[in-house]
Amino acid sequence: MASIDDDKKAAASAAVAEVQDGMLVGLGTGSTAALAIQALGDRVAQGLQICAVVTSEASGKLARELGIAILDFATIAQVDLTIDGADEIDSRCFAIKGAGGAMLREKIVAAASARMVVIADGSKRVDRIGAAKLPVEVLPFAIAYVMRVLMDMGAAPMVRDNYRTDQGNLVIDCHFADLEDPRATAATLAGIPGILGHGLFLDEVDAAYIATNGVVTRLERMGASD
């Protein structure tokens, strides 16, 4: 039986197979995304000609070490393909992201992408998202106010200890007892002054490669196929 790490590697390899010469690739953040970066680095070493943008300083450091050419996203208007992990994903391709704290940059890069694919082991596939912590990135100036509003929402918010994003902001992890209407929750969070971004990815994910016991399944937004 394949281990979780083996499944993550299998999913990463399947997603990286979508990358073609000449593409501009968005690289996500986190332990699973790092496996995709490593797989992409292997292909670059074999002659694949691509450039990339990254969603965190950590991903940029790893990509450069592997010989992947990195561009400044501030100069980029469109990305061909983004590959990233997820904390949860369901059959609607609704995802919760942000355990790695890069959800704001990840969402911006995803929005700029013609296609975004998520990679995950089978434990991240759920019937409906909502059990995982939902992180929000908050301007430090607004932290007390945002905490009060989130508590009023029943989000059971907790400020992530000793953590700042690459932008120097704080992260609050929310634990909603009921995420029955993710779109309504996303709209509410987006409307709170001081919240700069959140981990609900409801329209960004086009497909997911999910590996369970060594078998990779591709889940497309309109349905699933092997």
Side-chain angles (χ1 to χ4, degrees):
M1 180 178 294
S3 69
I4 288 178
D5 284 343
D6 290 336
D7 283 341
K8 289 179 178 180
K9 290 177 183 178
S13 295
V16 167
E18 287 199 18
V19 179
Q20 300 176 16
D21 271 321
M23 277 188 168
L24 176 57
V25 183
L27 302 176
T29 295
S31 61
T32 307
L35 295 173
I37 296 172
Q38 291 169 352
L40 187 61
D42 290 341
R43 290 196 60 196
V44 167
Q46 295 165 9
L48 180 71
Q49 299 290 318
I50 55 101
C51 291
V53 294
V54 294
T55 56
S56 66
E57 300 301 324
S59 291
K61 180 177 184 293
L62 176 60
R64 291 185 182 93
E65 289 173 352
L66 294 170
I68 299 171
I70 302 300
L71 304 181
D72 180 1
F73 182 75
T75 68
I76 301 298
Q78 187 167 357
V79 176
D80 295 310
L81 172 68
T82 287
I83 302 172
D84 206 345
D87 306 324
E88 283 187 340
I89 187 164
D90 65 24
S91 61
R92 301 168 292 181
C93 281
F94 285 7
I96 290 179
K97 293 176 45 54
M103 60 278 179
L104 178 56
R105 289 191 184 185
E106 288 171 341
K107 188 166 288 186
I108 294 168
V109 172
S113 301
R115 179 170 169 84
M116 179 189 183
V117 297
V118 157
I119 52 177
D121 66 88
S123 69
K124 304 300 175 62
R125 174 72 185 272
V126 295
D127 291 333
R128 296 180 72 86
I129 60 168
K133 294 182 293 185
L134 174 58
V136 296
E137 183 164 341
V138 181
L139 191 71
F141 176 80
I143 189 66
Y145 164 71
V146 171
M147 282 290 288
R148 177 177 68 80
V149 175
L150 291 173
M151 283 189 283
D152 289 346
M153 289 176 62
M158 294 286 293
V159 179
R160 195 172 294 185
D161 286 340
N162 301 314
Y163 183 81
R164 295 280 181 137
T165 69
D166 285 343
Q167 294 78 244
N169 297 314
L170 298 168
V171 171
I172 297 175
D173 290 311
C174 298
H175 302 261
F176 287 96
D178 182 5
L179 199 61
E180 182 63 30
D181 190 343
R183 289 195 182 279
T185 300
T188 299
L189 293 174
I192 298 172
I195 290 182
L196 305 175
H198 57 76
L200 284 170
F201 282 60
L202 307 180
D203 297 303
E204 292 81 6
V205 180
D206 295 296
Y209 289 93
I210 302 170
T212 304
N213 294 329
V215 177
V216 179
T217 298
R218 189 179 74 247
L219 172 69
E220 293 283 345
R221 177 163 284 273
M222 299 304 294
S225 60
D226 291 334

